[in-house]
Amino acid sequence: MTHPTALKIASPCVDSRIQAHWAKPEEAPAIMELYRITAEWLKSKGSTQWADLLVGIDRHNTAAAITRGEVVFFKQGDDPAAVVILMLAPSPWDLNLWGDDPSNAEAVFLHRMCIHRSFGGTGLGAQVIRWVDSGIAYPPDKDYIRLDCVADNPALNAFYRDAGYTYVGEKDGLSLYEKRLPK
């Protein structure tokens, strides 16, 4: 399948059991179910993160992101394992958080990374975030990966710091992180 973005999967193997591929439009329901399961789990932990998904609001328009070739779907055989959105251009959401900074043109924006709950505690999240560094062949004009996460979740913030992301500030209750892409 040819994708409209300049991103190419350099290595589809996350590990011996998990494979990555560009999501196909027919996989959108499975991806949205993965997000819903994650949002329910977050709610059970007292978090309102991703609560919009529980009422049918998809602020990142996942179906359109799939069509643009921005969604990587990770599977173990036929079973969903994880998903992540990688955008070459900032969305309105990103522009609100990062501003209209010229360096946005040098960044890839990571959104909605989640791991199926059946893989919780297995280290798959850390494997996926490392794969984002090495499993994609980024265009030479991209120097950073940028992301945001809720500021009031210490474990999530530690996860990104431990993965080598640098905290660059907070806006609207969200921590902003970036990481230089390996060249």
Side-chain angles (χ1 to χ4, degrees):
M1 180 181 212
T2 303
H3 290 276
T5 70
L7 294 179
K8 306 290 181 236
I9 292 180
S11 172
C13 298
V14 175
D15 67 15
S16 62
R17 60 196 168 117
I18 306 295
Q19 297 285 310
H21 69 271
W22 293 113
K24 301 173 197 83
E26 61 269 20
E27 293 175 312
I31 291 169
M32 294 310 297
E33 179 64 6
L34 177 54
Y35 285 150
R36 187 197 63 73
I37 289 167
T38 302
E40 286 286 354
W41 176 77
L42 288 166
K43 182 179 177 183
S44 77
K45 298 289 186 187
S47 173
T48 59
Q49 183 181 0
W50 294 11
D52 53 342
L53 292 166
L54 297 176
V55 294
I57 299 169
D58 179 10
R59 297 191 193 284
H60 290 289
N61 195 349
T62 303
I66 290 170
T67 300
R68 289 189 304 268
E70 297 173 338
V71 179
V72 182
F73 199 19
F74 302 83
K75 289 184 169 182
Q76 180 178 8
D78 291 331
D79 297 327
V83 66
V84 66
I85 299 174
L86 298 170
M87 301 171 62
L88 286 174
S91 67
W93 173 274
D94 297 314
L95 291 173
N96 175 60
L97 294 174
W98 293 89
D100 195 15
D101 187 320
S103 69
N104 284 336
E106 301 167 3
V108 173
F109 293 84
L110 184 150
H111 290 287
R112 295 271 194 219
M113 184 181 120
C114 78
I115 307 305
H116 193 284
R117 295 313 318 144
S118 64
F119 291 93
T122 66
L124 181 58
Q127 288 178 289
V128 167
I129 201 74
R130 282 192 306 270
W131 181 92
V132 165
D133 289 349
S134 62
I136 295 285
Y138 292 99
D141 64 335
K142 297 300 180 183
D143 295 322
Y144 299 95
I145 298 174
R146 289 185 172 165
L147 63 87
D148 62 87
C149 70
V150 292
D152 64 357
N153 183 330
L156 186 58
N157 281 266
F159 172 80
Y160 288 118
R161 283 191 309 275
D162 291 348
Y165 283 80
T166 301
Y167 175 82
V168 296
E170 183 178 323
K171 182 168 183 193
D172 299 339
L174 298 165
S175 296
L176 304 178
Y177 288 93
E178 72 179 12
K179 182 178 189 177
R180 183 167 282 285
L181 284 166
K183 294 289 181 179

